[in-house]
Amino acid sequence: MKKSKKTAFIAAVLTAAAAGLSGCNGPFDDEVQTVYGPPKDFDKSSAEESAEESMAVTSAADSYSPEDEPVQDVYGPPEDFDPIDASEEESLAEDSSYAPEDEEIPTVYGPPEWLE
Amino acid sequence: MLDVGMKQEHLRAMAEYRQELTRKPQLRNLFLELTVRCNERCLHCGSSCGEVQSEELTFEQYREFLDGVKADLGVEGKMLCITGGEPLLRKDFFEIMGYAASLGFRWGMTSNGTLIDKKIARRLRQAGMGTISVSIDGLEATHDAFRRTEGGYRKAMEGIQALIDEGGFRHIQVTTVVTHRNIGELDELFEIFDKMDIDSWRVIGIEPMGRALRYPELLLRDDDQRRLMEFIRNKRMAGEPVCYGCSHYLGLEYEHEVRDWYFLCTAGLQTASITACGDIIACLDIERRPEFVQGNILRDRFSRVWLEKFSPFRQKHWLSSEKCRECEHNKFCRGDAFHSLDHNTGEPMVCFKGVLF
C-alpha cells in the first residue's frame, strides 16, 4: 500500500498522542491535507443558532484553528481533482472483447454451507 | 489518544457546520445507482442486489439529468459516485460515464472488480474515472463464500491488479466489510494488501440492514467493534493508509483516529442519490420508504428537489428518539447515521455508546 506524507503525518500525530504529548502543534506540513471542521469559507457568525451546549475546552494553548482546514469529501478517498479531458485522450477502443452479457450470473441462492 | 479538548472543539465546529448545512445544503456527493443487477449475491448486501428485475434509466435520460445538474448547480466541488449492484453490468456504462466526464464531472465508483480486466481498466481511465473502491471481504475462501461467487476473490484481485497496472487513477482503494466471521483475517489481509500498490484500505463493520439482517451471526459483537477500532488505529500509527468508513459516531476515543475526519451523516445535506429507476433520495443505504423518496428525475428537476425538499434529513430527527434525546452525546452524534435508524421506531439501530465510549 502506498504511504504518503499524509500517512506519515497521521502516524506522527497519533504516536505523539500515545506517548502522552498533548496538543496538536505539529509537525505540520502545508502540503499535507489535514481535515478538521467546516470548510475555509464557513462563517460561524452567520449561523443563526449556536451549538446547543458549549463544551469546555481544556486543551493546552493551541494556535491551531479547525476553521482553517477544508472538509474532506465524506465519501471514499480524497483526491486532488485534475479532470482528465476524455476528448483529448485516444478514442475508446471500438471493439472490446469484454461484454457483460458474456459473464455468467451464478444462480446460487441461500446461505453457504459453512453457515448452515 | 489525541487531545480531548481539541476533539471537542472540532466536534463543536462540526455541529455548527451541520446546522449551517441544514439551512444551506451543499451538494458534494451525487450517487448514481446505475443498476441493481449484480453478478454476485453478497450476504451483507444492503440493497439485496442480484439477478433481479431492475428498472433502469437510459443513456438519454442520464444525459438530460446530467445536463440539468451542470446547468443548475455546476460541476465544481461535486463528485459522482457510481454504484449498483455492479455498475459494469450495464452495456452503456462507458457511454454514460464518458458523457459525464465530458461535462466536467469528476467521478468514482464502487465495484466488485470481477469484471475488470486490462481492457476495462483502460476504458475506465479513458472515461475519466478518478477513484475506485473494490470489495474484498476476506481471504479467498471467506470472500467467495460471503459473496457466493466461486472464483470471485481471484477475479476481484486480478481486477485490482489490472487497475494498478493501467495507472492514471487518483485513488485505488480496497474495501473490506468486517464481520464476526472474518475479523480474525484482518492481519493476513493486511499482509496481502501491503504488497499491492493500492492507495488505501477501507475497513468497515457489517451494517444491520438489507440481507445482513437474515444472518445475525455475522454481526459484530461489542468486543469485535473494539478490536476493529484498535486494529485500524494501530495501523494508522504505523503510517499505513488504513481507515474506517464515514458512518457512525465513534466517541472521543476513536473519532479522528481511525479516519481522517469526524462523523457527519451528510445524507440530504451534502449527499443525494439517484436510484436505478430515477428516484431522488438522500443516501442509497437508507431504507427505500416512500416518505424518503423526494422525487424522480423523469418528472422533477433535480436541482429544485435538492433545494426545496429533503426535509426529513434537514431536521433534528434524533429528538424524536427518547434514547437520543436524553443522551449527552447527541450534539455530536445526532442520532448517528440516518441509514441505521429504525424508521418504525425512530431509534438508532447502531449506537456505540457503552461499546466504544
Side-chain angles (χ1 to χ4, degrees):
Chain A
M1 284 188 277
K2 291 179 182 172
K3 297 175 181 52
S4 61
K5 284 185 181 179
K6 176 181 171 183
T7 57
F9 170 69
I10 291 170
V13 170
L14 291 176
T15 303
L21 300 176
S22 63
C24 189
N25 295 319
F28 282 109
D29 182 340
D30 288 343
E31 294 183 29
V32 174
Q33 179 186 15
T34 54
V35 182
Y36 304 95
K40 289 183 181 180
D41 58 357
F42 174 56
D43 179 7
K44 283 169 59 175
S45 64
S46 68
E48 290 181 355
E49 293 180 44
S50 59
E52 293 171 17
E53 286 183 71
S54 60
M55 297 287 291
V57 177
T58 58
S59 63
D62 184 352
S63 61
Y64 176 77
S65 173
E67 287 82 7
D68 294 339
E69 301 296 337
V71 172
Q72 183 181 34
D73 288 339
V74 175
Y75 175 76
E79 63 174 64
D80 295 318
F81 180 49
D82 180 19
I84 298 171
D85 186 344
S87 64
E88 292 179 354
E89 293 288 328
E90 62 186 32
S91 59
L92 296 175
E94 291 183 8
D95 183 36
S96 167
S97 61
Y98 168 77
E101 58 268 24
D102 292 343
E103 295 292 331
E104 291 183 13
I105 298 178
T107 54
V108 176
Y109 301 97
E113 291 179 358
W114 55 262
L115 257 189
E116 291 174 348
Chain B
M1 184 172 75
L2 296 174
D3 184 74
V4 170
M6 177 192 76
K7 290 188 182 184
Q8 289 172 337
E9 181 63 24
H10 293 170
L11 285 167
R12 186 172 62 173
M14 290 289 281
E16 292 179 4
Y17 178 52
R18 186 195 182 274
Q19 186 60 30
E20 185 66 12
L21 284 175
T22 61
R23 296 172 52 245
K24 296 178 187 174
Q26 299 173 11
L27 183 66
R28 297 182 69 174
N29 309 300
L30 183 52
F31 282 78
L32 301 184
E33 179 186 71
L34 294 191
T35 180
V36 290
R37 288 178 290 130
C38 190
N39 57 335
E40 295 194 312
R41 300 287 181 276
C42 308
L43 294 177
H44 69 297
C45 182
S47 305
S48 298
C49 293
E51 191 179 348
V52 296
Q53 197 71 17
S54 178
E55 296 176 50
E56 297 177 0
L57 301 173
T58 64
F59 165 69
E60 287 73 23
Q61 288 166 336
Y62 276 115
R63 184 169 60 186
E64 185 175 337
F65 164 72
L66 291 170
D67 286 345
V69 174
K70 177 174 180 175
D72 298 346
L73 302 173
V75 301
E76 192 66 33
K78 295 169 186 64
M79 175 92 168
L80 298 182
C81 309
I82 309 306
T83 187
E86 173 49 51
L88 287 169
L89 281 175
R90 284 202 63 139
K91 296 180 193 177
D92 52 359
F93 176 90
F94 293 103
E95 196 176 5
I96 297 169
M97 297 324 302
Y99 185 74
S102 73
L103 292 179
F105 283 104
R106 57 176 178 158
W107 66 275
M109 70 181 292
T110 59
S111 173
N112 61 36
T114 62
L115 303 179
I116 300 175
D117 60 10
K118 203 171 162 180
K119 285 192 170 125
I120 294 302
R122 171 70 48 94
R123 293 185 77 178
L124 287 169
R125 183 180 63 76
Q126 292 169 338
M129 185 180 79
T131 70
I132 185 168
S133 194
V134 179
S135 300
I136 299 289
D137 289 326
L139 298 173
E140 185 164 9
T142 302
H143 174 99
D144 286 359
F146 190 63
R147 301 178 77 87
R148 296 189 278 186
T149 306
E150 190 178 339
Y153 177 90
R154 178 183 53 77
K155 290 179 187 175
M157 292 294 270
E158 288 172 356
I160 296 169
Q161 194 59 49
L163 293 165
I164 293 169
D165 292 341
E166 173 62 24
F169 302 108
R170 297 299 166 203
H171 203 100
I172 298 173
Q173 180 184 73
V174 170
T175 293
T176 297
V177 174
V178 181
T179 70
H180 182 63
R181 181 79 185 186
N182 69 5
I183 192 168
E185 298 180 355
L186 289 178
D187 287 317
E188 276 187 81
L189 284 171
F190 174 79
E191 294 304 321
I192 292 170
F193 298 141
D194 197 35
K195 297 182 177 64
M196 301 173 72
D197 200 23
I198 59 174
D199 294 284
S200 68
W201 181 26
R202 182 169 64 129
V203 185
I204 58 180
I206 186 169
E207 296 281 334
M209 50 192 288
R211 272 198 204 118
L213 290 174
R214 298 184 211 164
Y215 309 109
E217 61 274 24
L218 293 177
L219 299 181
L220 292 171
R221 317 296 193 257
D222 289 353
D223 56 348
D224 290 337
Q225 298 283 4
R226 288 186 284 270
R227 181 180 175 185
L228 176 59
M229 293 294 111
E230 289 298 317
F231 173 84
I232 298 172
R233 180 160 65 180
N234 286 337
K235 288 302 179 195
R236 291 169 69 81
M237 285 176 65
E240 304 294 347
V242 182
C243 65
Y244 189 64
C246 62
S247 295
H248 308 309
Y249 178 65
L250 306 176
L252 288 175
E253 172 76 37
Y254 293 109
E255 279 294 341
H256 194 39
E257 306 218 0
V258 297
R259 53 189 172 200
D260 295 349
W261 61 96
Y262 294 88
F263 169 66
L264 175 64
C265 180
T266 62
L269 302 177
Q270 292 181 326
T271 298
S273 304
I274 310 300
T275 69
C277 68
D279 283 343
I280 303 171
I281 64 175
C283 169
L284 291 166
D285 288 342
I286 297 174
E287 186 185 352
R288 309 283 171 99
R289 297 166 74 108
E291 61 266 34
F292 295 147
V293 177
Q294 304 302 295
N296 188 289
I297 65 168
L298 298 180
R299 63 167 189 269
D300 303 306
R301 189 83 176 174
F302 171 79
S303 58
R304 183 165 233 171
V305 174
W306 172 252
L307 293 172
E308 298 177 4
K309 296 204 171 180
F310 283 90
S311 58
F313 313 97
R314 298 171 183 171
Q315 302 168 2
K316 295 179 181 177
H317 59 84
W318 60 91
L319 295 181
S320 63
S321 157
E322 183 178 347
K323 178 181 179 182
C324 296
R325 204 163 49 239
E326 305 300 321
C327 180
E328 69 272 29
H329 299 276
N330 67 18
K331 67 184 74 62
F332 299 147
C333 166
R334 298 172 292 273
D336 210 270
F338 203 93
H339 73 263
S340 56
L341 290 176
D342 181 333
H343 297 290
N344 292 319
T345 63
E347 299 294 330
M349 291 190 291
V350 176
C351 174
F352 289 134
K353 184 177 180 181
V355 179
L356 300 179
F357 59 93

